[in-house]
Amino acid sequence: MTHPDMTESLVSIIIPVYNVDAYIGKCIESCLRQNYRNIEVIAVNDGSTDSSGVVLENYGKRDHRLTVIHQVNRGVVAARNAGIAAAHGEWLIFVDGDDYVTDNMVETLLFEVKASDADIVFGDFYLEKAKKCSVMSNSLPFGSQRSAIASALLTNKLQFSLCAKIIRSSLFMGISTPEDLKLGEDAYITVQLCDKAHKIALTGIPVYYYVMRKSSVTHAPSMAAVASKLSFIAYIREFYGDKPYVSEDLFMHSFATFVMNEYFAYLRMGGERKIAPQWLRDYVDNTCLNDKDALKNLPVWRIWLLRAYRKGDLWGKIIRWSILKLRIALSLSYDR
């Protein structure tokens, strides 16, 4: 796969790093091993308390294309922003420090950029769990207009993650994310970028290994992270609130789908219904759970939980407990 203009573009790969010393070596090696050679890799060590910083420095001594930045712990948003500020490339790619990428990731994404004249190109994911892989793909089933792209994002037809994408660096001018947003921070950036881009394109090719670890199922998130789910919903609502397509049927069904999925996640992680703002509870209970088109997009157990909480907190907590036990059992069974 080659293109006559590809060698002209510098691509910056940005990796926020925090306490991933067991995985960061594999991540860095996969980024430096790219078939496309005109790259720089910027790893931002966000105050790691393990040996991640030492590992990064050792790799930096071996390959001049790796720049290592050390900063006090401020969270993934600040780490990404530091990487963006240090980047020299016309194009940016983001990789999480505990994941890794295919050898042709940059080449594949950049080829599609040149072929389609897009500002953002989405690659697909390999979802790796217990050394078994499945593919998470992207699609544009509703068309390529901004409203259709927004609906695809809100219904998970397009992946919210900043990873597995190549993005024109100039798009980040004017894009901001609150540093206190613990969950959904990359999704909030993605919706802003996609709304700003003149065109997005899809490769249909997996380029990124997203590694799911057992701890992500069995370990409880912090209360700050749980509360951040409510902030994330509010930020997305505010962002789309003044868009000209906000009253279109497709968008309204898609937004209802998004809210139910995120509110389900908040409740499943242990969030208290009484803490959620009244508008959100009313919207889920009276609008979302009566939206037949939106309900078609949700797994049945999510609908069960939301309806149970509408009936009462005790019913909701019983269903939540059952779902959590089932998730853990399935995870343990999968790992055997």
Side-chain angles (χ1 to χ4, degrees):
M1 182 184 293
T2 58
H3 191 284
D5 296 327
M6 287 176 66
T7 55
E8 299 177 4
S9 299
L10 174 64
V11 177
S12 301
I13 302 174
I14 297 171
I15 310 171
V17 177
Y18 180 71
N19 286 358
V20 287
D21 58 359
Y23 316 112
I24 188 60
K26 185 174 185 177
C27 175
I28 293 293
E29 288 175 8
S30 70
C31 292
L32 294 174
R33 200 168 51 233
Q34 291 299 301
N35 296 337
Y36 184 82
R37 304 303 294 175
N38 193 19
I39 63 171
E40 63 174 3
V41 179
I42 302 169
V44 182
N45 177 30
D46 187 43
S48 295
T49 56
D50 63 3
S51 60
S52 295
V54 175
V55 174
L56 291 173
E57 288 294 341
N58 288 337
Y59 276 101
K61 293 173 183 177
R62 290 184 244 162
D63 195 316
H64 71 278
R65 296 175 299 166
L66 173 62
T67 298
V68 180
I69 298 172
H70 298 280
Q71 64 180 34
V72 296
N73 180 250
R74 292 170 53 202
V76 67
V77 174
R80 284 203 190 102
N81 288 342
I84 293 169
H88 300 94
E90 180 186 358
W91 299 94
L92 306 183
I93 294 174
F94 297 90
V95 179
D96 287 343
D98 55 352
D99 296 330
Y100 61 104
V101 301
T102 63
D103 292 355
N104 64 345
M105 174 190 67
V106 176
E107 183 181 48
T108 299
L109 295 173
L110 194 56
F111 181 87
E112 186 59 38
V113 162
K114 302 298 183 179
S116 61
D117 191 31
D119 285 333
I120 304 173
V121 171
F122 285 63
D124 290 347
F125 289 81
Y126 287 114
L127 182 61
E128 184 178 301
K129 183 176 181 181
K131 299 183 179 180
K132 297 180 181 179
C133 281
S134 57
V135 174
M136 288 196 305
S137 58
N138 296 281
S139 64
L140 286 169
F142 312 123
S144 57
Q145 303 92 345
R146 279 186 170 80
S147 60
I149 292 169
S151 293
L153 284 166
L154 293 171
T155 55
N156 296 319
K157 303 297 190 298
L158 289 175
Q159 301 300 326
F160 263 144
S161 172
L162 272 176
C163 301
K165 297 173 178 59
I166 192 166
I167 304 163
R168 191 182 298 276
S169 59
S170 59
L171 284 183
F172 281 88
M173 293 181 63
I175 300 292
S176 62
T177 301
E179 292 188 10
D180 62 345
L181 196 56
K182 307 298 182 185
L183 293 174
E185 79 291 332
D186 55 345
Y188 185 53
I189 296 172
T190 298
V191 299
Q192 295 177 75
L193 292 170
C194 287
D195 192 70
K196 192 175 180 181
H198 89 278
K199 183 178 181 180
I200 72 168
L202 316 179
T203 64
I205 300 172
V207 297
Y208 189 102
Y209 287 88
Y210 173 64
V211 184
M212 292 189 67
R213 307 186 194 284
K214 192 185 302 183
S215 59
S216 64
V217 174
T218 58
H219 287 188
S222 68
M223 290 311 298
V226 174
S228 185
K229 273 291 182 186
L230 298 179
S231 299
F232 175 50
I233 296 171
Y235 280 124
I236 295 296
R237 179 192 187 214
E238 181 182 17
F239 177 76
Y240 283 123
D242 63 352
K243 301 302 177 186
Y245 47 78
V246 71
S247 60
E248 294 178 7
D249 285 347
L250 174 61
F251 180 84
M252 289 193 294
H253 297 317
S254 301
F255 184 71
T257 299
F258 161 78
V259 170
M260 285 192 286
N261 278 325
E262 295 301 319
Y263 188 50
F264 164 85
Y266 166 76
L267 294 170
R268 196 251 313 154
M269 292 188 299
E272 292 288 340
R273 174 180 163 84
K274 63 184 178 183
I275 297 176
Q278 188 66 47
W279 75 263
L280 177 57
R281 286 178 278 163
D282 291 344
Y283 179 63
V284 172
D285 291 349
N286 302 324
T287 300
C288 298
L289 288 173
N290 293 315
D291 187 334
K292 294 181 180 179
D293 290 307
L295 290 172
K296 292 176 184 177
N297 297 321
L298 266 68
V300 66
W301 59 85
R302 297 189 180 186
I303 300 171
W304 289 344
L305 181 72
L306 296 175
R307 284 178 173 165
Y309 267 102
R310 181 172 65 176
K311 189 174 181 180
D313 280 5
L314 179 60
W315 285 102
K317 288 178 180 179
I318 291 171
I319 298 298
R320 175 188 171 272
W321 180 87
S322 301
I323 290 173
L324 182 60
K325 292 297 182 183
L326 180 60
R327 280 169 58 88
I328 293 173
L330 290 175
S331 175
L332 293 175
S333 174
Y334 194 97
D335 288 343
R336 286 190 183 122

